[in-house]
Amino acid sequence: MRLPWVLPVVLLGLLLGLSTLAYPWTDWDTPSATYLGQVVLEGGAPYREAWNVKAPGVYFAYALSILLSGKSALGIRIFDLLWQCATALVLAGAGARMFRSERAGLFAGFGYLLVYYSQNYWNWAEADGLISLPLAAGFLFLLRGMESDRGRDWGLAAFWVGLAALFKLIFGFVGVAMLAAAFVKPPAWRGLLLRRVAPLAVGVSLPLLATAAYLRSHGALDEFLLTQFVVAPELTGRLRALVHAGCIVKSLVRPVLLPLYIVFFLAVYSLGRTLRRRMEWRVPAVFCGAWFLTGALTLVLHGAYFGYHFLPLFAPLAVLAGSAFETITDKLWPLKLSRKSLLALAGLGLLCLMPVVKLGQRAYFSWQVLSGRAPAVAWRELGTYLRERTKPDDQIFVWGNVPALYLYAERRSCSRFIFSYFLSLQWKRVNYQPAFLAELRAGKPRYFVLIKEGKPNACSGHEIGALEAFERFSELKQIVAGEYETEKETVDYIVYRRRTEKASEERGRDAAPGT
């Protein structure tokens, strides 16, 4: 795309994204990814030094974020802003190349940003949103490969899909659609194999093999395989069984999804016109359809319909909708008060409504932060409390699903398990509790924090609260009773401080069964 078309996309991204920079950490996903990203930078490996169920690509992305913008909530917001602007630019380039129209590309970039920044802040910088950039880059190089028929373009297209698979493994199946595109108007068999199929195979394999080699060299490959192919599928099954129809309906009718539904309608309209009239657009359109269907499949397979599960749908719909946006603007200019033009104006108004509302809310929150009037963040205060009472090399442990505490306290966990949720359930083929107890005994954290999380509702996707899980975990309770004493308690948490070695031994004998 030419510079005059690039600038509007960047400016819209900055307009919508700069208001996000004042937001703090969420409790769960972004802090855990930051924690694991720091582990990667320090020479460790996901799943071994720090454990989470997500695929490793998000931890590598967060390691890059820490390098570029620091280990802070502001840093990840800046990184996400740059990432999403880059995604919109790549989508704009792909849309312009696909539809032979820079305006269609411009509207593709606009549509993506409007939908993404309509979402709530706890859905930003998720793996489901970051995955759009590598998939968009793969699509752009696929279009180039179909035009030039150069092996380099085909290989780069597959390479980006391989990178996307590191964020969510199921998106590797998008490569099947890419392989099918290689057989459209193929050259002779020798040319087909050398210029298309072989580069595709090499390209998609490189990031996957490199990651496998990295994990193996760090002794984490077996844990990765166990996590992704045993624990993750069982977790998904538990979510589907726990979440009921009411939760799904509640998720689908959220106002923040209104822009997505409008873009979906425009994308379907554009796809229908493309398949009927434009032969040269059919293969890219079908690829976008496969990309969307893969995202829809992950949404259904997860079964929880959390807000961030919708994020992978945004990019392919925005590309397809770009042509429809162009058609609408052609009909609107010169402006005529017809039925169609009024409907078009109403649709565009609804598309922009939620981003405008969110922009106002975020601007107000940013003003509160800058003026010192923002609500206090409980976990930040607790993190400061722990940091002031520990040394930099001291370890702590938080029983609860608040990994943000480790970041606020600037202290490492004594255990790789930074979520109590995965220690609270009985898994069919793995039991993490013995390993956790061994790490807790060896690490001897200076502070043990118990989060008083009550019984969660079904729509949260959690089966048990942290407090109830702690009460059920008798061995852990015994360790805490024998080696720790209460230092601080609020309605949200209890802070236990480790006793001296002598006091712990005496207390342990008193707490032992039969004494």
Side-chain angles (χ1 to χ4, degrees), residues 4 38 78 125 139 175 210 235 298 393 408 413 437 440 475 479 498:
Q38 184 63 39
I78 293 174
F139 179 50
L235 175 63
T298 64
D393 58 345
Y408 286 130
S413 168
L437 291 173
L440 184 69
E475 292 166 286
I479 291 175
R498 185 173 181 81

Side-chain angles (χ1 to χ4, degrees), residues 365-505:
F365 181 81
S366 299
W367 172 79
Q368 285 184 308
V369 171
L370 293 174
S371 62
R373 302 180 183 182
V377 179
W379 305 132
R380 180 185 294 158
E381 294 176 354
L382 178 55
T384 302
Y385 178 91
L386 296 171
R387 184 173 64 252
E388 291 174 346
R389 288 161 176 77
T390 54
K391 300 175 182 178
D393 58 345
D394 283 339
Q395 295 180 328
I396 63 174
F397 185 78
V398 180
W399 180 266
N401 302 303
V402 191
L405 263 178
Y406 295 111
L407 302 181
Y408 286 130
E410 299 178 13
R411 298 294 181 263
R412 288 287 294 270
S413 168
C414 70
S415 170
R416 60 182 154 150
F417 300 102
I418 56 176
F419 293 107
S420 67
Y421 180 75
F422 297 99
L423 301 169
S424 304
L425 303 174
Q426 295 296 322
W427 302 92
K428 293 180 181 178
R429 296 176 59 183
V430 64
N431 181 8
Y432 287 122
Q433 289 186 355
F436 159 68
L437 291 173
E439 292 168 357
L440 184 69
R441 291 188 178 104
K444 298 180 179 180
R446 178 62 60 89
Y447 279 96
F448 182 99
V449 180
L450 172 61
I451 305 298
K452 293 182 178 180
E453 179 189 36
K455 185 174 180 60
N457 63 66
C459 297
S460 70
H462 291 182
E463 297 180 38
I464 186 173
L467 185 59
E468 181 183 354
F470 178 78
E471 293 296 331
R472 293 183 183 182
F473 199 163
S474 57
E475 292 166 286
L476 177 61
K477 283 186 64 179
Q478 184 176 333
I479 291 175
V480 173
E483 301 180 11
Y484 291 84
E485 59 187 0
T486 302
E487 180 172 291
K488 181 179 180 181
E489 183 171 0
T490 71
V491 295
D492 296 317
Y493 56 81
I494 304 175
V495 177
Y496 297 96
R497 180 181 175 86
R498 185 173 181 81
R499 296 188 180 91
T500 61
E501 293 295 330
K502 183 177 180 180
S504 295
E505 291 175 3

